Amino acid sequence: MATMHDVAKKAGVSIATVSAVINGGVKVSDKLTKRVQEAIREVGYRPNIVARSLKTGGTKTLVCIVPGIINPIYAEIAQAIEVFANAKGYAVFLCNAQEDCKLQRKYLHLSRSMQVAGGIIIPAAELDVPVQQLEQDLGAPLVVVDRAPLEASIDSVVVDNFEAAERAVSLLINLGHRRIGAIASYPLSTTSLQRISGYEAAMAKAHLSTEGLIRQNCSNVERAKSAVCDLMSSENRPTALFATYEHAGMGVVQGLNSLGLSYPKDVSFITFDGNAWADALHPSITRIRQPTENMGREAVRLALERIESKSELSARRLVLQTEFILKDSCAAHVAGHDANPPDKTG
């Protein structure tokens, strides 16, 4: 492997000059800079970023940890983080914690050993996300996205999950639906809890019961499908469904298909997210869209401001607006239209 000594010998300059060209800080003439750069290409020198970070106290890198890269929303946020960080001269390491708190901590410790400048994390599902401990494990500024506790003591970027869910369920109520089922993800996820709370608040305001209508832990498409089949095969099945996240929404579609039911004819349906597939289906699906690009952009902005700030900054919490997209999956409930539960076929 080529070294700085090899570059200096090839260029006919001192190692100090090579270092100045690579690291900046010391002015080097254009002529010498060009000579050193040509020597770097010819000998194939590649700077050791980790070794350099041990000397300089950090790298222009960020770590981005997500709880599951197969979730399209997390993938969209991660991509936005990478795009905006790169535009500011920072590289991004992406880690998939697979909803495993131990693996998440391992990635934080690994990132600390690499001396990353900071991090952005969507935490694994926990009832009480230990945000301060996560930042201590990283040893650098950390921004929490999406699953941030209401009283998070570090920078965070979220949406108003409660308000969005309450609005969606209120629409179904205004259409005449009285039995509205909820298909939710991890019961320990702060995001899922906030969305179920919004659902329950809308139902309570209309003096409607939620007993037997909530299905939790639908953490993938298959579990959501199974929950829908169970719910829609009950004696007094729902006339509308609310899915609290992307994979739950997909599970609703698959579950209804397997039972030979359709929306909005047999059941009205609203989902959180569904950005990539909801419009491709017919009828298209009413949904709540999260501003994933803005979430990534703002997370990078908060992280870099804290990294580069020379003064103390208080914890900042940004609450971004969701977009309610009204499509064709919802219809007014017709009294007496409730059908007998279908036979389970899937």
Side-chain angles (χ1 to χ4, degrees), residues 4 16 125 202:
M4 289 178 66

PDB file of all heavy atoms in Angstrom, residues 4 16 125 202:
ATOM      1  N   MET A   4       2.492   8.160   2.345  1.00  0.00           N
ATOM      2  CA  MET A   4       2.802   9.560   2.090  1.00  0.00           C
ATOM      3  C   MET A   4       4.273   9.725   1.716  1.00  0.00           C
ATOM      4  O   MET A   4       4.622  10.620   0.940  1.00  0.00           O
ATOM      5  CB  MET A   4       2.455  10.403   3.327  1.00  0.00           C
ATOM      6  CG  MET A   4       0.954  10.553   3.552  1.00  0.00           C
ATOM      7  SD  MET A   4       0.544  11.505   5.030  1.00  0.00           S
ATOM      8  CE  MET A   4       1.174  13.122   4.591  1.00  0.00           C
ATOM      9  N   ALA A  16       5.863  16.863   4.779  1.00  0.00           N
ATOM     10  CA  ALA A  16       5.055  17.957   5.319  1.00  0.00           C
ATOM     11  C   ALA A  16       4.254  18.633   4.216  1.00  0.00           C
ATOM     12  O   ALA A  16       3.088  19.011   4.420  1.00  0.00           O
ATOM     13  CB  ALA A  16       5.947  18.973   6.023  1.00  0.00           C
ATOM     14  N   ALA A 125     -37.413  -0.275  18.544  1.00  0.00           N
ATOM     15  CA  ALA A 125     -38.636  -0.081  19.308  1.00  0.00           C
ATOM     16  C   ALA A 125     -38.417  -0.334  20.798  1.00  0.00           C
ATOM     17  O   ALA A 125     -38.047  -1.443  21.201  1.00  0.00           O
ATOM     18  CB  ALA A 125     -39.736  -0.999  18.779  1.00  0.00           C
ATOM     19  N   ALA A 202     -60.048   9.856  18.642  1.00  0.00           N
ATOM     20  CA  ALA A 202     -61.121  10.122  17.679  1.00  0.00           C
ATOM     21  C   ALA A 202     -62.345   9.270  17.993  1.00  0.00           C
ATOM     22  O   ALA A 202     -63.491   9.750  17.936  1.00  0.00           O
ATOM     23  CB  ALA A 202     -60.619   9.845  16.262  1.00  0.00           C
TER      24      ALA A 202
END
